[in-house]
C-alpha cells in the first residue's frame, strides 16, 4: 500500500501532495515518517478544536432551553412570598476575610441589607495584619464574648476570639483566628454557623438584593434532593455601585475586562447552566454558593490542602452521595446575582489562571478513580471525562496547535489550505460560539442595555482569540506543572481598582498560607 493511500485512509488528504513527492518538500532531509506524524497530529488537533467548540455550543443550547423555562416561570417565582415566609430555610452567610480593611465594613453592611427573612452573617478574620478586625469593631461596635465553638469539621488555625455587636439585634458574628488559608477560615465559619443552609461568599463580592432568595429557591422547591446551588458571578469592573449594590451594569472600559466578561458569559453562565440542566454540574464558584450544612459536615468541610477548595467540595459531595446511592441534585441558578471585580492587570490575571488550573489538576488527581467509573453515573462517564479532555488538557492542545500546524506548513507536511481550515475551526468557530453566548445573554437578561456596551463585548469576542487565549493557555500549563511538581501553594494578592462609588484603589486577598 502506498503512503498516499495509507494517509488517505486516515483522512489526511491535505498531506498527499508533499508526501507523494518522495522527500522533495521544503526540507527534503526530513523523513516521510516525520511528516506523516506531524500531519496526523495536525488532524487530531483540528478535530479536537471542532469537538470542544461544538460541545460548548451544545451546552449553550441546553442553557437556552433552561432560560426559556425560567423566563416563563419568572412571574410566578414567589420571591415576595418567600421573603416574608417564616418557613423559608434560614441561611448562615460565611465571609472569610484576609487583609480586607479597606472595604470590609461596607461589604458587611451590604450583606446585612439582603432581602431574606432569617439569616446571619459570619465573618472569619483569617489572621489579617492590616486591622480588618479593628475596622469591623469600629463600624459595628463589636465586643468580645465567650462562645463555645463546635468542632463539626476540623480546623487548623487556632481560634483567638469571637465578637458580637454590643446590645443590638444585628445578626452578625465576627471570629478571629490564626492564619490558615481561605478553606480553613470557611471551616471555622461552618462550625460557627447556626442555620441549616450555608452561603459561602467572598468578602469583596457584591450581591443583588434578592440574591439569597434566588439561590435558596431550589431548596424550597425540592427540599429533599437539593444539596447545593451555585449562582452566577458577573464582572463588576466599570459598573456603578451605590451602597454595596450594582445599580448600573456596564461593560468594562479596558480590553482585558471586556474579554473576561465574554469568557465568564460563555463558560460560567452558559456552560454551567448547561451542565446543571443534565445533572453534571461540577463547579460552584467560591464567590457565591449555597450548601446544606449537614451535607458539608458529612464530607468533612473544605479541604485546606487544595487550592481549588470550592470546586473540590462539589466533587466530594458528588462522590459521597453517589457512593451512598442517594438521589440528589446540585443546581446552578442562572440569574446574574453576584458581582466580583476581575483582574485588570495581566500579572494578576496570570496568577489567577495559574491558580485555577492548578486547583483543577489537583482535584482531578485526587478524585481520579471517579473518572470513567459507571458507579458515579453521568458524573463519572460524562462530566469528568469532559473536564479531563477539554479543560485539563486544553492548554497542551492549544499550544501544540500553535507549534505543530505552522511547523507542518513549513515542513511541507500540510498545505496552506489546511492552515486556513485550522484557523477557521480553532478560532473562527470559537468566535461564533462567543457571539451566540452574547445573543443568548441579551435575550435572557439584557444586562447591558447600551449599544456601546454591546460593541465593547463584540470587541472582546474578537480580541479574546488574538493573544489572550494563547497567554491563558501558557498560564494554565504552568498551573498544571505546579500541581504535578507539588510547588508551594501561594494565593497571591489582588490589587483592586474599586468601584464607581469608592474611587480608591485597594489591595485585598494577600498571600495566604
Amino acid at each position: 500500500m502506498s503512503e498516499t493511500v495509507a494517509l488517505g485512509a486516515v483522512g489526511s488528504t491535505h498531506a498527499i501532495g508533499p508526501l507523494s513527492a518522495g522527500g522533495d518538500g521544503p526540507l527534503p532531509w526530513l523523513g516521510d515518517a516525520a511528516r506523516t506524524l506531524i500531519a496526523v497530529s495536525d488532524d487530531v488537533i483540528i478535530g479536537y478544536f471542532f469537538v470542544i467548540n461544538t460541545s460548548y455550543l451544545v451546552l449553550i443550547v441546553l442553557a437556552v432551553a433552561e432560560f426559556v423555562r425560567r423566563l416563563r416561570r419568572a412571574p410566578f417565582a414567589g420571591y415576595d412570598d418567600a421573603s416574608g415566609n417564616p418557613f423559608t430555610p434560614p441561611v448562615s452567610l460565611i465571609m472569610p476575610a484576609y487583609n480586607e480593611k479597606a472595604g470590609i465594613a461596607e461589604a458587611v453592611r451590604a450583606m446585612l441589607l439582603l432581602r431574606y427573612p432569617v439569616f446571619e452573617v459570619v465573618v472569619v478574620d483569617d489572621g489579617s495584619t492590616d486591622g480588618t478586625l479593628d475596622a469591623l469593631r469600629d463600624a459595628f461596635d463589636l465586643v468580645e464574648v465567650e462562645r463555645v465553638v463546635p468542632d463539626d469539621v476540623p480546623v487548623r488555625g487556632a481560634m483567638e476570639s469571637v465578637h458580637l455587636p454590643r446590645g443590638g439585634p444585628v445578626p452578625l458574628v465576627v471570629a478571629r483566628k490564626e492564619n490558615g488559608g481561605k478553606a480553613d477560615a470557611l471551616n471555622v465559619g461552618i462550625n460557627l454557623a447556626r442555620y441549616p443552609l450555608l452561603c459561602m461568599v467572598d468578602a469583596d463580592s457584591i450581591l443583588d438584593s434578592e440574591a439569597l432568595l434566588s439561590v435558596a429557591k431550589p431548596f424550597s422547591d425540592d427540599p429533599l434532593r437539593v444539596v447545593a446551588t451555585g449562582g452566577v458571578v458577573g464582572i463588576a469592573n466599570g459598573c456603578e455601585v451605590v451602597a454595596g449594590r450594582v445599580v448600573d451594569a456596564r461593560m468594562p472600559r479596558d480590553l482585558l475586562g471586556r474579554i473576561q466578561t465574554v469568557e465568564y458569559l460563555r463558560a460560567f453562565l452558559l456552560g454551567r447552566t448547561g451542565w446543571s440542566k443534565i445533572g453534571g454540574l461540577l463547579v460552584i464558584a467560591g464567590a457565591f454558593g449555597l450548601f446544606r450544612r449537614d451535607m458539608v459536615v458529612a464530607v468533612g468541610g473544605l479541604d485546606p490542602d487544595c487550592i481549588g477548595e470550592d470546586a473540590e467540595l462539589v466533587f466530594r459531595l458528588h462522590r459521597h452521595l453517589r457512593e451512598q446511592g442517594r438521589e440528589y441534585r446540585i443546581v446552578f441558578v442562572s440569574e446574574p446575582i453576584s458581582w466580583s471585580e476581575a483582574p485588570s492587570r495581566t500579572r494578576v490575571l496570570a496568577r489567577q489562571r495559574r491558580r485555577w488550573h492548578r486547583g483543577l489538576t489537583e482535584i482531578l488527581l485526587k478524585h481520579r478513580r471517579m473518572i470513567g467509573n459507571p458507579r458515579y453515573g453521568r458524573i463519572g462517564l460524562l462530566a469528568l471525562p469532559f473536564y479531563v479532555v477539554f479543560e485539563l488538557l486544553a492548554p497542551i492542545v492549544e499550544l501544540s496547535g500553535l507549534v505543530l500546524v505552522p511547523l507542518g506548513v513549513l515542513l511541507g507536511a500540510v498545505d496552506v489550505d489546511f492552515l486556513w481550515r485550522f484557523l477557521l475551526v480553532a478560532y473562527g468557530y470559537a468566535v461564533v460560539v462567543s457571539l451566540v453566548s452574547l445573543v443568548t445573554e441579551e435575550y435572557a437578561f439584557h444586562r447591558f442595555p447600551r449599544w456601546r456596551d454591546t460593541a465593547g463585548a463584540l470587541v472582546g469576542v474578537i480580541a479574546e482569540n488574538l493573544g489572550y487565549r494563547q497567554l491563558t493557555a501558557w498560564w494554565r500549563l504552568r498551573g498544571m506543572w505546579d500541581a504535578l511538581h507539588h510547588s508551594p501553594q501561594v494565593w497571591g494578592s489582588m490589587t483592586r481598582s474599586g468601584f464607581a462609588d469608592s474611587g480608591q484603589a485597594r489591595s485585598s486577598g494577600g498571600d495566604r498560607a
Side-chain angles (χ1 to χ4, degrees), residues 344-374:
S344 57
R345 298 182 182 179
T346 305
R347 182 181 61 179
V348 179
L349 179 65
R351 286 198 300 264
Q352 181 196 67
R353 299 312 167 92
R354 186 172 175 177
R355 184 178 71 248
W356 283 3
H357 211 71
R358 173 179 183 150
L360 176 63
T361 306
E362 292 176 349
I363 293 168
L364 290 173
L365 286 173
K366 179 177 179 179
H367 298 283
R368 58 187 177 275
R369 76 175 182 141
M370 295 175 64
I371 301 171
N373 191 334

Side-chain angles (χ1 to χ4, degrees), residues 325-477:
R326 296 178 58 175
E327 189 176 359
Y328 71 96
R329 293 175 60 211
I330 295 179
V331 181
F332 187 75
V333 182
S334 55
E335 287 85 354
I337 51 182
S338 177
W339 304 81
S340 183
E341 188 174 1
S344 57
R345 298 182 182 179
T346 305
R347 182 181 61 179
V348 179
L349 179 65
R351 286 198 300 264
Q352 181 196 67
R353 299 312 167 92
R354 186 172 175 177
R355 184 178 71 248
W356 283 3
H357 211 71
R358 173 179 183 150
L360 176 63
T361 306
E362 292 176 349
I363 293 168
L364 290 173
L365 286 173
K366 179 177 179 179
H367 298 283
R368 58 187 177 275
R369 76 175 182 141
M370 295 175 64
I371 301 171
N373 191 334
R375 180 181 185 184
Y376 300 98
R378 68 192 66 185
I379 298 297
L381 296 177
L382 179 61
L384 281 171
F386 178 93
Y387 268 75
V388 171
V389 177
F390 296 121
E391 295 289 346
L392 180 67
L393 301 180
I396 297 177
V397 178
E398 179 98 26
L399 296 175
S400 297
L402 293 175
V403 174
L404 291 177
V405 173
L407 184 64
V409 175
L410 177 65
L411 300 180
V414 296
D415 55 30
V416 176
D417 288 341
F418 176 80
L419 175 61
W420 288 111
R421 288 195 294 273
F422 167 77
L423 294 174
L424 186 63
V425 170
Y427 298 106
Y429 196 177
V431 168
V432 171
V433 172
S434 295
L435 288 174
V436 173
S437 301
L438 283 177
V439 172
T440 302
E441 194 278 337
E442 280 296 295
Y443 161 75
F445 305 110
H446 194 52
R447 188 175 2 174
F448 301 108
R450 300 174 181 82
W451 280 108
R452 63 175 176 270
D453 290 328
T454 303
L458 293 175
V459 171
V461 167
I462 303 301
E464 181 185 11
N465 296 282
L466 302 177
Y468 178 86
R469 274 181 58 178
Q470 295 75 19
L471 276 174
T472 55
W474 171 245
W475 297 331
R476 292 161 68 191
L477 187 63

Side-chain angles (χ1 to χ4, degrees), residues 131-334:
T132 295
L133 179 60
D134 294 333
L136 288 169
R137 182 184 291 114
D138 294 341
F140 298 99
D141 193 20
L142 299 178
V143 294
E144 185 174 347
V145 298
E146 294 291 334
R147 181 165 176 176
V148 177
V149 181
D151 56 355
D152 293 334
V153 296
V155 296
R156 294 180 177 178
M159 283 285 297
E160 296 179 355
S161 58
V162 177
H163 307 259
L164 298 175
R166 187 191 306 270
V170 180
L172 173 65
V173 179
V174 178
R176 166 81 178 183
K177 64 179 288 291
E178 293 180 353
N179 180 258
K182 181 180 179 181
D184 197 51
L186 286 168
N187 284 338
V188 169
I190 293 167
N191 287 336
L192 282 166
R194 296 183 297 151
Y195 295 138
L197 295 183
L198 304 174
C199 182
M200 302 180 190
V201 297
D202 289 344
D204 57 352
S205 293
I206 300 173
L207 272 61
D208 289 346
S209 60
E210 295 188 345
L212 280 182
L213 290 171
S214 298
V215 81
K217 190 174 187 301
F219 289 92
S220 299
D221 293 343
D222 192 0
L224 297 180
R225 293 192 300 164
V226 174
V227 299
T229 60
V232 176
V233 177
I235 291 181
N237 302 42
C239 296
E240 183 180 355
V241 179
V242 176
R245 296 285 182 270
V246 172
V247 298
D248 189 9
R250 299 174 182 173
M251 185 64 59
R253 298 180 181 87
D254 62 294
L255 183 60
L256 195 61
R258 293 176 179 180
I259 294 173
Q260 291 177 83
T261 299
V262 173
E263 190 180 30
Y264 274 46
L265 286 177
R266 182 184 62 247
F268 296 168
L269 170 59
L270 298 169
R272 291 178 186 174
T273 301
W275 279 116
S276 178
K277 178 74 173 177
I278 60 175
L281 183 64
L282 285 174
V283 178
I284 290 177
F288 192 48
L290 193 62
F291 301 84
R292 269 178 49 181
R293 186 180 186 278
D294 61 330
M295 288 291 100
V296 175
V297 171
V299 299
L302 290 97
D303 183 0
D305 292 323
C306 183
I307 203 166
E309 73 289 330
D310 47 359
E312 197 280 330
L313 174 61
V314 180
F315 274 65
R316 201 148 20 98
L317 285 171
H318 279 297
R319 184 171 183 170
H320 174 76
L321 292 166
R322 288 278 178 177
E323 290 176 353
Q324 287 195 337
R326 296 178 58 175
E327 189 176 359
Y328 71 96
R329 293 175 60 211
I330 295 179
V331 181
F332 187 75
V333 182
S334 55

